[in-house]
Amino acid sequence: MSERLKTEICGIKMNTPILAASGTFGFGEEFADFVDLEKLGGVMVKCITLKPRAGNKGVRITETPAGMLNCIGLENPGVEKFLIEILPRIKNKMNVIVNISGSSVEDYGELAKLLNVDGVAAIELNISCPNVKDGGIIFGTNPKAAAEVTSTAKKFTSKPVIVKLSPNVTDITEIARSVESAGADCISLINTLMGMEININTWKPTLGNITGGLSGGAVKPVAVRMVYQVAQAVKVPVIGMGGICTAADAIEFFLAGASAVAVGTANFANPAVTMEIANDLENYLASRNLNLREIIGQVKI
Amino acid sequence: MSERLKTEICGIKMNTPILAASGTFGFGEEFADFVDLEKLGGVMVKCITLKPRAGNKGVRITETPAGMLNCIGLENPGVEKFLIEILPRIKNKMNVIVNISGSSVEDYGELAKLLNVDGVAAIELNISCPNVKDGGIIFGTNPKAAAEVTSTAKKFTSKPVIVKLSPNVTDITEIARSVESAGADCISLINTLMGMEININTWKPTLGNITGGLSGGAVKPVAVRMVYQVAQAVKVPVIGMGGICTAADAIEFFLAGASAVAVGTANFANPAVTMEIANDLENYLASRNLNLREIIGQVKI
Amino acid sequence: MLKIFDTEIISNAEVSANIFKLEVAAPELSQIAKAGQFVQVKVSDEFTLRRPLGIASAKNGMVKIFYRVIGKGTEILSTKKTGEHLNILGALGNGFDTNISGRILLVGGGMGLAPLLSVAEKIEADVLMGGKNKSEVDFWIKEFRAEVDRIYITTDDGSFGSLGFVTSLLPEVLEYDNYAAIYTCGPEIMMRSVYKIAEENNLPCYVSLERRMACGLGACLSCSIDTASGRKKVCKDGPIFEARAVFS
Amino acid sequence: MLKIFDTEIISNAEVSANIFKLEVAAPELSQIAKAGQFVQVKVSDEFTLRRPLGIASAKNGMVKIFYRVIGKGTEILSTKKTGEHLNILGALGNGFDTNISGRILLVGGGMGLAPLLSVAEKIEADVLMGGKNKSEVDFWIKEFRAEVDRIYITTDDGSFGSLGFVTSLLPEVLEYDNYAAIYTCGPEIMMRSVYKIAEENNLPCYVSLERRMACGLGACLSCSIDTASGRKKVCKDGPIFEARAVFS
Ligand SMILES: Cc1cc2nc3c(=O)[nH]c(=O)nc-3n(C[C@H](O)[C@H](O)[C@H](O)COP(=O)(O)OP(=O)(O)OC[C@H]3O[C@@H](n4cnc5c(N)ncnc54)[C@H](O)[C@@H]3O)c2cc1C
Ligand SMILES: Cc1cc2nc3c(=O)[nH]c(=O)nc-3n(C[C@H](O)[C@H](O)[C@H](O)COP(=O)(O)OP(=O)(O)OC[C@H]3O[C@@H](n4cnc5c(N)ncnc54)[C@H](O)[C@@H]3O)c2cc1C
Ligand SMILES: Cc1cc2nc3c(=O)[nH]c(=O)nc-3n(C[C@H](O)[C@H](O)[C@H](O)COP(=O)(O)O)c2cc1C
Ligand SMILES: Cc1cc2nc3c(=O)[nH]c(=O)nc-3n(C[C@H](O)[C@H](O)[C@H](O)COP(=O)(O)O)c2cc1C
Ligand code: FES
Ligand code: FES
C-alpha cells in the first residue's frame, strides 16, 4: 500500500483517504469481489438504529439526471444483531465506521454506548436522513439540537464521533460550528438533498415515500461548495462526499478542505470505483511529487 | 394558438404556460429566430437593477454533471436604459416580466415604482441571486426580510408581483408563506442552488466569483420537491422552474402544483426548446382530452 | 466470484415490436452463470445506474438476453451495434434449483420467459407461455423449441394458441404430466395466480421477482422485500424465491 | 437568420496529436457563413451546453472545423464517425470584415488559425503561423497553401520555420509588403503582442476573442467583456473586435 495515500483521521489509521459512504456499501462484504477492503480508509456501514427497521414501502430508488433519488428509509437489522452477527464477521477486514440514527437524543446516546466496543473504529451520527420522519433530519437542520445529539453521543463513547450534516439547510457553517463546539471529532458531509419525482403516466410520486434523497454527480457542485465552507469554518477534519465518481472529483474535495472523502452512488455503476479512485489519486500525487496533506485545503482563492 | 394551453396568471393572459427563465433568455429578442415569442407565457427578462452593473469578473460559467454553474452576477444596463431603449422595442412582442434585484428594501421599492409602466406585464423580485453579495440572497433566506421586500414592492406598483425564491434554505414553505402574507401575487421557484467547482490543475475555483449557481437537469428533483411543498403551503399561483428540458419535465411541475413553468438552462442546448415543450405538452393533454388546469396540482399522494 | 465483464456484442436485433434479443461473447460468464441469474448492464456513461436484465441463455461462450424497450436505458441499449462492447456485471442472484429430480413446468408471461429459457437449457422441462399476441410469443417458441418437449401457448387476443391467460390453461396442463415443480416468471399478478394453482395441486412453486435495483450486490437495500423468513434482498437472496415464502 | 442545422459528418480525422479536422455537409450553412464566424456544436445529449467552434472553411456545401481535444466534449466529438449526424447552431458572431481593400496579414497561433483560414478563403491574404512544433503546423500549411500567397512559419521548438514565436518574426514580415490590416487569432498574450506591433506600424488590427459560452446568442452574458465602447458580448458583438477597443 502506497505511503503517499496513508493518513490518519481522529486517530483512525487509513491506508487511503477513500472511504465508502453509508448506505451504498452495505457492510463492506458485499463488495469484497471488487474491492480490497483494507485499501479503503473505512467503510461507513449502513445506518444502524436501536430496533430493527424494515424501511419504507414501495419503490425506493429512481434514476434522475446524473443522479438518483432514494428513500430506503434506514432499513437495518438493529444494533443487537449488528453487534452479535455482523460486526464480528467484518471487524478485522476493514475500518468499521458505524452510521447511527435515532428518534431522540437518548437514542443516539444509547447507540453510542452499545457501539463502544472493539472493532468499531468510529461512529457517524446520521442527523441528516431526509427519508424518515424520525431519521434525525430534525436534528440536522437545527444547530442546537445537532449540538445536543453530538454531546450526548460523546458522553457515551470513547470512539471518535463523526457528525454527518444535511445539505438541506440555509447555513451549513452554523450547524458545523455548533457540532464542533459540542465535541464532534470530525464532520462528514453531504448527506442527500431532498428531492422528488412524479410519474407523468400514473400521476403518482415515483417513490413510495413521496420524496427521497438526491445523490450522485448532480449534487457534486453543492457538496464541494459546502465542504469548502465548512472546512473554513471549523478546525476538526472534514470527510467530504457527494457525487464523487473519479479521482478528479475526489481531488476537488481535498483542495476544498476535505481530509478524506467517501464514495457513495458511484459504487453502483462501478463496484470497483473506490480502487480506481485510489490508484488515480496516487498517480496524480506521484506525478506532482506531492503527499496527500499537501493538497488538503489548498484551493487558491 | 391552442385553446388547451391558454391560461391566465395574476391577470396576465398567456398563450401557453411555458415561460423563459430570467437570465437565460436575454430580453427575448435574442431567441426570435427560434421562438414565436407570443407563444411563450412570458419572458422573464434578465435581472434589472437601479444602476448599470458589469457583473462578476473572470470565468462565469462551467458545465457540471447534467447541469451548469453560473456567476454572471446581475450584469445589466440599469433600469433607465431598460425603460428607454429596451422596453419600447420588446413590449409589443411578448409578455415582459421584469426580474429585479436590489441591495436594500428601498431599491426594490424604487425599481417597482419605475417599472410601473405600460408594457411591463409583471415584476419578479429576485431575492435569491447567490452570485452577488447584494443580490438579494440575504432577503431570500430570511422570511421577515423577504416579506418586507415584497410589501414594499407591492406598495409602489399596480403590476402583479412575483417573488422568486431561493432553494438554499432549510424550509422553503416558511419563506413562501411569509411572502404570500406580505402580498405576493405569485411565487416562482427555484433559483439556482449554490455550488462550486475547483480546477484540479490550477487549484483555483473555476468561477471568477468562487461559487456560482447550479441549474439544469441536475436540480430538477429538488425543484419538483420544493414546488410541491410550496404549492401545498400557499394559495397564490406558483411558477415552477429548475431543470426543465422536456414536456415530461414540465408536466411533473404542473402535477406538483405549478400553474406555469419557466425554462432556463435548456434554452442553451436547444434555443427552440420552449416551442417543443409547448407542442409536446399540447399533445400530452390532447391525447388525454384534458385541459391544463386539470393537471395542475393533481399529483396523487 | 462476481466480476465485471467487458463483452463484445455479437448481435442485437428486434425480434418483435420493441423487444430485442442481445447476444454477447462472454466465455467466462457463460460458464459460471446459473439458470435464473441476471446481470447488471452498463448501458452508457450517461447513466448513474446499471440496468438489471435476466440471463436467458448461457452456453458456448455466449450469453443471450431478451429485453423490452420501456425507457431511456433500454432505448439506448437497442441502438448498440454488433462489434461494440458492453460492460456487464454478473452473474448475480441465486438462480433456480437445477438439481431437482423430475420434470419442471415453466410458466412465463412476456419478458418473464427470459430466465425460464435458461432453465430449459439446463434441465428437463415443458413450458407454458403467455403473451399479448402471436408476434410476442413467436420468437419465444423458436427459442424454446430445442430446449423443451412440449410448449403450451396462450395469447391475450387469441391470435395464437389458446385465448386467455396462462393461468386459464395451467390446470389443464398440469393434468398432462406429473411435474416435480413449477418455475414461474412474469407479471406479479400472474405469478400469484400460478402459485395458487400450484398450491391446490400440492406442487412446489418457485418465482422470479423483479424490483428496482441500484447495486445488484445486496448492499443498498433498494430491492428489499418481506418474506416468511424475514427481510430479503431480491438481488442477492433472490431473484428466485419459493412462492410460499413471498406470496402468503 | 440563425438556425439549427442537422448536418452529416463527411470526415472527422486526427491531423496532428489531439487535433482533429471535421468536415460536415451543410449546404445552407456553408452559404451563409461569414469568415470568422463560429458555430455551437451539440456534441451529445449528455451535455448541458454546446461547444463553440470556429468555422475554418465554408464552401461547396461543406463546413470545415478544426478542434483540439482538451476535455470531455471534444473527446466525445473526436469519436464521431463519417455518416453520423451532428446538430450545429450557427452561423454565430459578427465575422471579419472581408470588404477591406488591400492585402491582409493573418497572424495565428495554434487553433487560432482556424478562423483565419476562412478569411484566406475569401480575400487576398498572407499568413504568419506559429505552433509548438512541425507536426502542429504541417496540416495548417496544407490547408493555407491554396488560399494565400505567402506562408511564414515559426515553431516554439524550431523544428520547422523560424525558432520562436510569431511575434518575433512579425516585424520582419511587415517589411515585405504593405498590408492593409492584421487579423489575428490565438492565445490572448500573443494577440496582445501582435496588437502592439500593429500599433507601432500604424496598422489596423482585428482580433478574434474566445470566452466560455453558454447560449452563443447574446442572451446569457457568459461571455461579456469590457470594451472601449462599453460592455460587449463576445458571442454576438464579436468574436471579432478591433484590437484597440479590447486591449487598450
Ligand atoms: C432481476 C431483474 C431481471 C430483469 N430481467 C429483464 C429481462 O430479462 N428483460 C427485460 O426486458 N427486463 C428485465 N428487467 C426489467 C428491466 O430491468 C427494466 O425494464 C429496465 O431496467 C428499464 O430501464 P429503462 O432505462 O429502459 O427504463 P426507465 O424507466 O427509464 O428506468 C428508470 C429506472 O427505473 C428502473 N426500472 C424501471 N423499471 C424497472 C423494472 N421493471 N425493474 C427494475 N427496474 C426498473 C431502472 O433500473 C432505472 O433505474 C429485469 C429487472 C430485474 C430487477
Ligand atoms: C468563439 C469560439 C470559437 C472557438 N473555436 C475553436 C476552434 O475552432 N477550435 C478549437 O479547438 N477550439 C475552439 N474554441 C474553444 C473550444 O470551444 C473549447 O476548447 C471547447 O469548448 C472545450 O470543450 P471540452 O468539453 O472538450 O472541454 P471542457 O473543459 O471539458 O469543457 C468544459 C466547459 O468549458 C468550456 N470551455 C472550456 N475551455 C474553453 C475555451 N477555451 N473557450 C470556450 N469555452 C471553453 C466548454 O464550453 C465547456 O462548457 C472556441 C471557443 C470559442 C468561444
Ligand atoms: C441508496 C442510498 C442509501 C443511503 N443510506 C444512508 C444511510 O443509511 N445513512 C447515511 O448517513 N447516509 C446514507 N446515504 C447517503 C450517502 O451516504 C451519501 O451521503 C450521499 O449519497 C452523497 O454521496 P454520493 O453522491 O457519493 O452518493 C445513502 C445514499 C444512498 C444513495
Ligand atoms: C446563466 C444564468 C443566469 C441567470 N440569471 C438570473 C437572473 O438574472 N435573475 C434570476 O432571478 N435568475 C437567474 N437565473 C436563474 C434562472 O432564472 C432559473 O431560476 C434557474 O436557472 C433554474 O432553472 P433552469 O434549471 O431551467 O435553468 C440565471 C440562470 C442562469 C443559468
Ligand atoms: S439492488 Fe442493492 S440491495 Fe438489491
Ligand atoms: S454566450 Fe450567452 S451571451 Fe455570449
Side-chain angles (χ1 to χ4, degrees), chain D residues 1-18:
Chain D
M1 176 83 185
L2 300 174
K3 269 200 184 167
I4 299 170
F5 298 97
D6 174 31
T7 69
E8 190 184 327
I9 297 177
I10 302 300
S11 72
N12 185 25
E14 197 164 10
V15 291
S16 175
N18 291 321

Side-chain angles (χ1 to χ4, degrees), chain A residues 35-55:
Chain A
V35 167
D36 174 358
L37 294 165
E38 286 200 347
K39 204 170 164 180
L40 290 177
V43 173
M44 294 153 142
V45 299
K46 177 68 193 166
C47 190
I48 298 292
T49 54
L50 281 174
K51 296 265 160 294
R53 294 183 67 129

Side-chain angles (χ1 to χ4, degrees), chain D residues 51-54 66-68 70-74 210-212:
Chain D
R51 298 294 187 267
L53 293 172
F66 289 83
Y67 62 94
R68 188 190 295 275
I70 65 154
K72 227 184 146 193
T74 44
E210 236 185 77
R211 283 293 178 282
R212 296 226 192 183

Side-chain angles (χ1 to χ4, degrees), chain D:
Chain D
M1 176 83 185
L2 300 174
K3 269 200 184 167
I4 299 170
F5 298 97
D6 174 31
T7 69
E8 190 184 327
I9 297 177
I10 302 300
S11 72
N12 185 25
E14 197 164 10
V15 291
S16 175
N18 291 321
I19 300 177
F20 284 72
K21 174 176 170 178
L22 167 71
E23 288 182 286
V24 298
E28 192 182 342
L29 177 61
S30 90
Q31 279 201 342
I32 60 174
K34 290 188 278 178
Q37 284 191 304
F38 66 100
V39 293
Q40 281 267 56
V41 177
K42 184 159 184 186
V43 175
S44 99
D45 285 341
E46 216 181 307
F47 296 110
T48 299
L49 301 177
R50 290 170 178 261
R51 298 294 187 267
L53 293 172
I55 296 173
S57 160
K59 58 179 182 189
N60 309 330
M62 305 275 273
V63 167
K64 265 192 240 174
I65 286 166
F66 289 83
Y67 62 94
R68 188 190 295 275
V69 173
I70 65 154
K72 227 184 146 193
T74 44
E75 194 180 312
I76 292 188
L77 185 57
S78 74
T79 67
K80 303 262 175 194
K81 305 227 157 48
T82 302
E84 286 187 54
H85 281 237
L86 204 59
N87 177 300
I88 287 182
L89 166 65
L92 303 168
N94 55 357
F96 283 106
D97 180 359
T98 48
N99 292 320
I100 198 160
S101 66
R103 177 176 292 275
I104 304 294
L105 180 65
L106 307 170
V107 182
M111 301 315 294
L113 285 155
L116 300 181
L117 179 60
S118 67
V119 178
E121 224 171 63
K122 295 253 158 89
I123 58 176
E124 297 244 309
D126 292 340
V127 66
L128 164 56
M129 59 172 69
K132 270 189 239 153
N133 51 45
K134 183 167 188 299
S135 137
E136 289 218 347
V137 294
D138 256 356
F139 68 95
W140 286 122
I141 296 172
K142 281 197 208 108
E143 298 289 336
F144 274 94
R145 192 168 286 149
E147 312 293 352
V148 297
D149 289 330
R150 276 162 294 179
I151 301 183
Y152 304 98
I153 300 158
T154 67
T155 52
D156 300 0
D157 66 357
S159 57
F160 199 72
S162 323
L163 171 74
F165 301 121
V166 289
T167 41
S168 334
L169 199 60
L170 178 57
E172 200 182 318
V173 170
L174 289 178
E175 284 173 17
Y176 299 152
D177 208 328
N178 275 322
Y179 291 104
I182 295 179
Y183 290 179
T184 181
C185 183
E188 207 155 303
I189 182 161
M190 178 204 97
M191 294 193 287
R192 281 182 187 273
S193 304
V194 169
Y195 162 59
K196 238 184 92 195
I197 297 169
E199 283 288 272
E200 285 158 17
N201 288 269
N202 273 318
L203 274 178
C205 179
Y206 289 85
V207 300
S208 175
L209 296 186
E210 236 185 77
R211 283 293 178 282
R212 296 226 192 183
M213 292 179 179
C215 70
L217 304 171
C220 72
L221 309 184
S222 299
C223 66
S224 282
I225 56 164
D226 269 322
T227 74
S229 45
R231 300 289 295 176
K232 296 284 175 193
K233 299 155 198 164
V234 171
C235 69
K236 192 161 186 187
D237 306 314
I240 315 305
F241 293 93
E242 225 188 319
R244 185 178 298 145
V246 291
F247 286 160
S248 54

Side-chain angles (χ1 to χ4, degrees), chain A residues 9 11-12 33 40 68 87 143 203 233 239 279:
Chain A
I9 292 181
I12 311 169
D33 283 345
L40 290 177
M68 65 180 284
L87 186 60
W203 294 17
I239 300 177
N279 292 341

Side-chain angles (χ1 to χ4, degrees), chain A residues 139 142-148 150-151 163 165 172-184 187 233-234:
Chain A
F139 304 114
N142 178 325
K144 258 202 208 130
E148 217 186 319
T150 308
S151 57
V163 183
L165 304 188
I172 191 85
T173 63
E174 191 187 1
I175 313 259
R177 270 188 293 254
S178 183
V179 299
E180 182 186 45
S181 318
I187 289 173
V234 300

